[in-house]
Amino acid sequence: MRETARREVPLLAAGNMTAKQAARNLAHRLATDHKLVHVVYRNGARVPVRAWVEIATLAKSAVAYNASTLNRPREAGVTSVEVFDGLDCGWTSHQDPDKATRTLRTVEEEWPISHPPCRRGFGSRPDAEVP
């Protein structure tokens, strides 16, 4: 099941469909081909496969989008970006005390998302230098 998800999620998210459409298709395949109804986490929590696939697909597409967003300033020689994120969202995880939104980071500090489903975005800042 995990191998199917690892193989399929990037392919589905890159097709001519939204991440939610890709998630719906993958959830259907996992339910049909693998008879998977729930994903069980280490802590015993049982999550419906459709919810799990939707979060995984949205996270993968956000990582890909933000990685490509950071590539452009890097290619243009711009070293700084401004981070746009939720007010309580930390840089490396939701609980990280280093809050991300409205901060300046270098393109090399790349951390595309801090958690699924993260709303993080980046804006090129050729006028600014990270201290």
Side-chain angles (χ1 to χ4, degrees), residues 6-131:
R6 282 190 191 105
R7 185 178 58 251
E8 296 291 330
V9 167
L11 296 175
L12 292 171
N16 290 329
M17 62 183 76
T18 68
K20 286 193 177 196
Q21 290 168 326
R24 186 174 48 248
N25 292 346
L26 179 56
H28 178 74
R29 286 191 58 201
L30 291 173
T32 303
D33 298 351
H34 299 278
K35 308 297 183 228
L36 187 65
V37 177
H38 291 92
V39 173
V40 181
Y41 287 108
R42 286 184 205 153
N43 67 2
R46 296 172 56 84
V47 177
V49 71
R50 185 167 176 165
W52 178 82
V53 168
E54 185 172 307
I55 292 292
T57 304
L58 290 172
K60 288 287 187 185
S61 64
V63 167
Y65 179 83
N66 282 341
S68 67
T69 298
L70 290 167
N71 280 339
R72 186 63 193 123
R74 187 181 293 119
E75 290 168 358
V78 175
T79 59
S80 300
V81 291
E82 184 172 352
V83 182
F84 307 103
D85 210 339
L87 292 177
D88 292 330
C89 195
W91 180 241
T92 61
S93 70
H94 196 67
Q95 293 78 21
D96 187 345
D98 179 9
K99 301 304 178 197
T101 199
R102 303 300 309 257
T103 61
L104 292 177
R105 307 285 174 151
T106 70
V107 293
E108 303 309 323
E109 276 185 275
E110 181 176 328
W111 203 279
I113 65 172
S114 70
H115 59 86
C118 193
R119 303 176 121 190
R120 180 166 296 165
F122 297 93
S124 184
R125 290 292 306 269
D127 63 320
E129 286 292 321
V130 176

